[in-house]
Amino acid sequence: MSSEKPMNVWDRLRFTNWRIPTKLAIVMLAISLIPLLITATISSNTSARAINQQTRISLSRLAFSTAERIEQFLVDNHNFIRMAASEPEVIQFLTTLQEEGPDLPSDSTKDQVLAFLNAVKERHPELQAGIDSVVANLLTSDPAIDLVGFYNLQGFVVSHNNASIVGQSYLFRDYVQSALNNEQFTSGIQIGWTTDTPGINASAPVHAEDEIIGAIATRIQGRFITNILSGTLEIESEDISAEERQAMAIYLVNEYGIVVSHSDNDTSWLYHSLGTITDEAVLEQIASVRLLGGTCPEGMQTCDPSEKQPRTPIPIPAAQPLADELLTAMSLGKSGSFRYCQPDQLDTEIEEGQCPGTWHVVGYAPVQDPFRTDPISHMPRYLFMVVVDMPESVFLRPVDRLRQQGLLIGATMAGLALVASLLLSTTLARPIARLAQAASRVERDEPFEPSDIAEVTAQGDEVGNLARVFSNMVVALRARMAELRTIYEVGRKISESVDLERILNEIADAIGEVIPYDVAEICLYDKRQGKMDCKLSARRTSGGIKKTAGPLYDPNGGYLGYVYNKGESLLVPDTLAFTEVERNPEREWEDVEPRSYLGVPLKEKGEIIGAIELIGAYPNSFNEGNRRVLESIAIQAAIAVQNAREVEARESMLKRQIEQLRIEIDDMKRARQVAEIVESDYFQSLRQKAKLIRGSEADR
């Protein structure tokens, strides 16, 4: 009879009494899974923080660049206004009105003003034709402008392409007052009282010999600001998926916290206030300036503008934290980023610490008024705040995939540990440790080579496969990061100059650093000739890169015609085997026989302005990676080239103006010198002597 006491349930649960396979399986699971889970958690959290921070920086930079584009757009339109204000027809028109009606009462009725204007036009019929020509030229040369008006010193509308308001007093308008006070003026985006469409009022004084004789005012259509927002989104986010592009939005917020423009005209945000405006004085001011236009009385679809009531903004209480952040930053003129909760129901308020919706991250930057400052603080005045909005889940999706991969790896390791706990415990622990060390080095951004885990990747089991996937992933990721750094350096280098020739040379050199080629050509489209002008042809020789200018090409045939007409890149690995597009046999590159071809278009604001072509003397000289790099370079190159061409055009116009001024100065100088000689005593004495001599000869 055995004296061994049977174990009870509690004794069986003690670790020392477990079976050896169970002990080994538990130990293997603990050794393999716990460090892996800790590493994956730390790595995912670190990655999430890094991606979040980088995304905030990227969104803020995108907002800043968009703000710069809007500021430049406003400056360009003001340049058109100043040019129109300096036209001789405008000066003559306003000067004549001022001379013939200096005592026109400021309280004159519209009929009185119209009678005065008609009387002046009858005496000077050429004035109306001249001013109409200036208005037509301004509307034609700047499509962003749809309303143009001229005002005399009393603030009356004396000419306008909307004839119905001629004769009315617009002195109460802030843009008219500012222009008559010798200031350039730019308003925020406002809804037209009669047109019910958004626009920006811009004005400038009209001078005659340094004296203000009137004002010019225009309206810039709001849809052009919307086009800048949507165009910026398309340019800056071509490498993201369609879902991510759809999730991202860019919009403008004015000084009251009202969304006045949206990249996709999202009606749930447009013309709504972020948060609730509680200050009655602010609401009265919004109504008094008719910021959001007006609405007809209830039950009426259309009505006379005089019957309209000012529209007030509909609040979005849930966005109050975002409004507080943006308005504070706008008052200080600061850029930055902010994380906020966007609830599913925008008309509900959010309790602190809760988020009944999705977290969003925004980058923001102010749009500065290019011409005015705050009259009290004398600090820059800001018109809008550009906001780039993206759901947090969109850019954290890679981290979620990393967590899923971590869970998948953990499950795989657990299965292996359970199946091979007795036979493979030692060999299993070693490769896991090597992988953990490699992962830690990658996490610390230390150097990593596939040879560091060669022993693990050589195994044919799941751990070896995991090591290979890990190695390939790290190598591919770092290669992509190096590629992005190279593209960034290329963009920075070609953006440092506005000289077209230098930029083209920099582009060719930069491409040669990342994509080996035998011939590279950069062609710009010449609208006047309807040809592709080869501005730079770079050919690789034994002595280096030889650069010359090329001929004009027909943009309608061959590979170049495909790139230009389709607006798409074209990769031809082997010209002899490629049949989708027929090569132009007339194109030659000296002694280089083209066997590979890569071409990408240069696009600026949706318009093809040129193309970059690479020629290889051997098949498969270029691949899809080269195409991706060249497309990224082409985006930045197109902007740099277009900017250089615009600067070049402005310099040419300035040179012509300077040359004309120099000719006029020389003529005036010669006339003055002749006058000085003729009026001198010596010349008068010679003239008297000559008269006496002629008289003596006549007597003979």
Side-chain angles (χ1 to χ4, degrees), residues 272-562:
H272 289 56
S273 65
L274 301 179
T276 304
I277 302 176
T278 57
D279 192 334
E280 292 295 333
V282 173
L283 292 174
E284 291 177 2
Q285 184 176 3
I286 294 173
S288 64
V289 299
R290 302 173 179 179
L291 180 67
L292 301 179
T295 58
C296 293
E298 186 175 357
M300 297 179 62
Q301 295 293 332
T302 59
C303 61
D304 188 85
S306 61
E307 300 177 356
K308 289 185 176 181
Q309 298 296 322
R311 185 183 290 118
T312 57
I314 300 175
I316 305 178
Q320 188 64 54
L322 178 60
D324 296 339
E325 174 73 14
L326 295 179
L327 294 181
T328 301
M330 188 173 181
S331 65
L332 300 175
K334 291 185 177 181
S335 304
S337 61
F338 184 68
R339 181 175 184 258
Y340 77 102
C341 175
Q342 185 179 111
D344 297 328
Q345 301 294 329
L346 297 180
D347 57 350
T348 60
E349 296 186 3
I350 299 178
E351 297 183 6
E352 187 175 356
Q354 297 183 358
C355 183
T358 57
W359 287 102
H360 282 232
V361 172
V362 299
Y364 55 81
V367 176
Q368 181 176 336
D369 189 329
F371 306 103
R372 303 179 69 205
T373 59
D374 187 272
I376 300 177
S377 64
H378 301 290
M379 296 297 289
R381 178 174 174 265
Y382 299 97
L383 299 172
F384 317 106
M385 185 68 78
V386 177
V387 183
V388 183
D389 193 313
M390 178 185 288
E392 193 176 59
S393 60
V394 173
F395 60 83
L396 288 182
R397 193 170 292 123
V399 178
D400 295 334
R401 287 196 293 266
L402 182 62
R403 291 194 181 100
Q404 294 174 1
Q405 291 175 359
L407 294 175
L408 179 61
I409 293 172
T412 303
M413 296 301 296
L416 292 174
L418 291 173
V419 173
S421 59
L422 293 176
L423 301 177
L424 303 176
S425 60
T426 302
T427 58
L428 189 60
R430 188 181 298 114
I432 291 177
R434 295 292 298 274
L435 282 177
Q437 293 173 2
S440 299
R441 288 198 299 273
V442 172
E443 180 186 357
R444 296 191 297 270
D445 201 24
E446 296 178 358
F448 171 81
E449 295 293 338
S451 58
D452 296 343
I453 55 173
E455 295 180 2
V456 184
T457 56
Q459 295 180 197
D461 55 12
E462 292 82 356
V463 178
N465 182 54
L466 175 63
R468 289 188 292 273
V469 172
F470 173 82
S471 177
N472 294 336
M473 179 186 69
V474 173
V475 171
L477 178 61
R478 293 196 170 179
R480 180 59 175 161
M481 291 175 64
E483 179 180 294
L484 293 176
R485 283 195 296 269
T486 300
I487 294 173
Y488 169 78
E489 290 297 325
V490 169
R492 182 186 61 79
K493 185 181 296 184
I494 65 178
S495 300
E496 290 176 350
S497 173
V498 293
D499 180 72
L500 181 59
E501 182 178 355
R502 180 178 175 185
I503 288 175
L504 295 178
N505 279 277
E506 291 285 0
I507 293 172
D509 294 340
I511 293 173
E513 293 177 2
V514 294
I515 305 176
Y517 61 79
D518 293 289
V519 178
E521 289 191 350
I522 304 177
C523 300
L524 301 181
Y525 183 67
D526 189 337
K527 293 183 178 179
R528 182 176 60 84
Q529 303 185 64
K531 298 286 187 180
M532 276 289 190
D533 186 0
C534 182
K535 292 291 187 181
L536 178 66
S537 178
R539 186 168 64 89
R540 193 179 302 277
T541 64
S542 58
I545 301 296
K546 178 182 178 182
K547 298 177 181 177
T548 59
L552 296 174
Y553 295 135
D554 183 2
N556 296 315
Y559 298 158
L560 180 59
Y562 178 91

Side-chain angles (χ1 to χ4, degrees), residues 664-680:
E664 294 176 0
I665 292 174
D666 289 343
D667 291 340
M668 294 174 60
K669 184 183 294 184
R670 283 195 295 270
R672 186 173 61 252
Q673 291 173 349
V674 171
E676 291 175 353
I677 294 173
V678 171
E679 295 172 1
S680 65

Side-chain angles (χ1 to χ4, degrees), residues 504 507 511 520-525 532-536 559-565 568 587 597-603 608-614 630 634 638 641 645:
L504 295 178
I507 293 172
I511 293 173
E521 289 191 350
I522 304 177
C523 300
L524 301 181
Y525 183 67
M532 276 289 190
D533 186 0
C534 182
K535 292 291 187 181
L536 178 66
Y559 298 158
L560 180 59
Y562 178 91
V563 173
Y564 174 77
N565 291 294
E568 301 174 354
R587 293 281 303 273
Y597 175 87
L598 176 58
V600 298
L602 294 175
K603 296 182 181 179
I608 306 298
I609 64 172
I612 301 176
E613 297 179 284
L614 302 183
L630 192 59
V641 167
R645 296 176 77 178

